[in-house]
């Protein structure tokens, strides 16, 4: 079967239906990405990236799968020049203390994981597309240019992994609840089988 952006048509349909049903229940996309990823053995970040790519697909099959689902990409709040400049100064100041990019962003965001995700995505995009802005901000602070901008490919992979890990951590509570429910279902299934056999034995007596 021909694939749609890397997923089989059936896989794509199952993902979209899963997300649509979850959204109707009011569940957050990050939790849905994590849950679907665990079910299918995929990283939450990978599911997230595929979902947004699918929403923008021009493939007729994709449009048909999306028909009536009322799914759309959430509007991304763009960084103003002032916010971007402030973010860079804070991150680079932490980098100047010897911290990694991830630790620097965590320090700046004081543990706010949603803000961390926003900053990580923006910093990653700047490293990839506008490294001169990072160099300029570093010079203003009297710091050496962030060595990360000379290791773009490496940092890109590293930040992608960190973003995926962050989504996984956001869904950890759901994972634990899913495991608990799975065990409960298994226990009930076993009890049901015991009762079924007992009823069969009584009928045969």
């Amino acid at each position: 079967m021909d694939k749609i952006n890397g997923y089989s048509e059936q896989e794509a349909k199952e993902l979209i239906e899963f997300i649509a049903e979850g959204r109707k229940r009011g569940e957050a996309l990050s939790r849905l990405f994590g849950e679907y990823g665990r079910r299918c053995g995929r990283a939450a970040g990978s599911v997230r990236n595929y979902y947004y790519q699918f929403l923008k697909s021009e493939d007729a099959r994709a449009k048909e799968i999306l028909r009536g689902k009322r799914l759309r990409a959430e509007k991304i709040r763009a960084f103003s020049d002032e916010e971007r400049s402030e973010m860079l100064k804070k991150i680079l100041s932490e980098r100047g203390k010897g911290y990694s990019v991830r630790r620097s962003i965590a320090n700046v965001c004081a543990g706010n994981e949603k803000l961390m995700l926003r900053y990580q995505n923006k910093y990653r995009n700047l490293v990839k597309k506008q490294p001169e802005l990072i160099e300029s901000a570093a010079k203003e602070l009297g710091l050496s240019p962030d060595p990360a901008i000379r290791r773009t490919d490496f940092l890109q992979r590293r930040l992608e992994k960190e973003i995926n890990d962050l989504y996984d951590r956001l869904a950890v509570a759901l994972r634990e609840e899913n495991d608990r429910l799975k065990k409960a279902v298994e226990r009930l299934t076993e009890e049901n089988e015991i009762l079924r056999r007992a009823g069969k034995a009584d009928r045969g007596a």
Side-chain angles (χ1 to χ4, degrees):
M1 178 183 293
D2 292 338
K3 294 187 175 183
I4 305 177
N5 300 339
Y7 278 33
S8 71
E9 188 171 345
Q10 182 61 33
E11 286 178 310
K13 183 177 180 180
E14 290 175 355
L15 169 61
I16 295 303
E17 289 181 348
F18 178 83
I19 298 295
E21 289 301 315
R23 294 300 281 168
K24 285 181 182 178
R25 296 191 298 271
E27 295 186 41
L29 280 173
S30 59
R31 296 185 66 178
L32 293 172
F33 295 148
E35 174 63 15
Y36 188 84
R38 286 189 295 279
R39 291 186 180 186
C40 302
R42 298 177 184 271
S46 174
V47 175
R48 179 199 73 239
N49 292 340
Y50 181 84
Y51 171 74
Y52 284 118
Q53 184 181 21
F54 192 87
L55 291 183
K56 296 184 292 183
S57 177
E58 294 299 321
D59 191 301
R61 295 168 300 167
K63 292 182 178 181
E64 181 61 29
I65 290 172
L66 289 167
R67 189 183 304 278
K69 298 296 190 300
R70 296 183 180 181
L71 295 175
R72 61 184 179 82
E74 294 182 349
K75 186 175 181 180
I76 299 175
R77 182 168 64 86
F79 276 77
S80 66
D81 289 345
E82 292 76 14
E83 185 181 9
R84 182 192 63 204
S85 177
E86 186 67 17
M87 179 199 75
L88 283 177
K89 288 179 180 178
K90 289 179 179 179
I91 293 174
L92 291 173
S93 291
E94 293 299 304
R95 291 283 283 151
K97 299 174 185 177
Y99 293 116
S100 66
V101 171
R102 178 180 176 181
R103 173 52 58 186
S104 295
I105 292 175
N107 291 347
V108 168
C109 298
N112 183 326
E113 292 196 324
K114 288 186 178 180
L115 185 60
M116 286 169 60
L117 189 61
R118 175 172 163 78
Y119 275 23
Q120 283 182 347
N121 278 325
K122 184 61 177 179
Y123 195 81
R124 175 197 60 190
N125 289 334
L126 289 175
V127 167
K128 183 178 180 181
K129 299 177 181 179
Q130 295 178 290
E132 68 279 2
L133 293 179
I134 298 177
E135 289 183 323
S136 177
K139 288 180 180 178
E140 287 184 20
L141 294 172
L143 300 172
S144 299
D146 191 329
I149 63 177
R150 295 192 294 274
R151 296 181 287 117
T152 301
D153 291 340
F154 169 77
L155 185 65
Q156 180 77 7
R157 293 192 300 272
R158 181 173 178 177
L159 281 180
E160 287 288 356
K161 181 179 183 304
E162 291 173 357
I163 289 171
N164 289 343
D165 289 345
L166 184 55
Y167 269 103
D168 289 340
R169 290 199 300 277
L170 287 171
V172 67
L174 183 59
R175 182 187 304 117
E176 293 174 350
E177 177 65 11
N178 185 60
D179 289 342
R180 186 185 68 76
L181 291 174
K182 182 179 178 181
K183 291 178 181 178
V185 169
E186 291 175 350
R187 185 177 67 254
L188 290 173
T189 300
E190 291 175 359
E191 292 175 356
N192 184 60
E193 179 63 18
I194 292 172
L195 291 173
R196 187 187 68 79
R197 291 178 180 177
K200 185 177 180 181
D202 288 342
R203 289 193 299 272

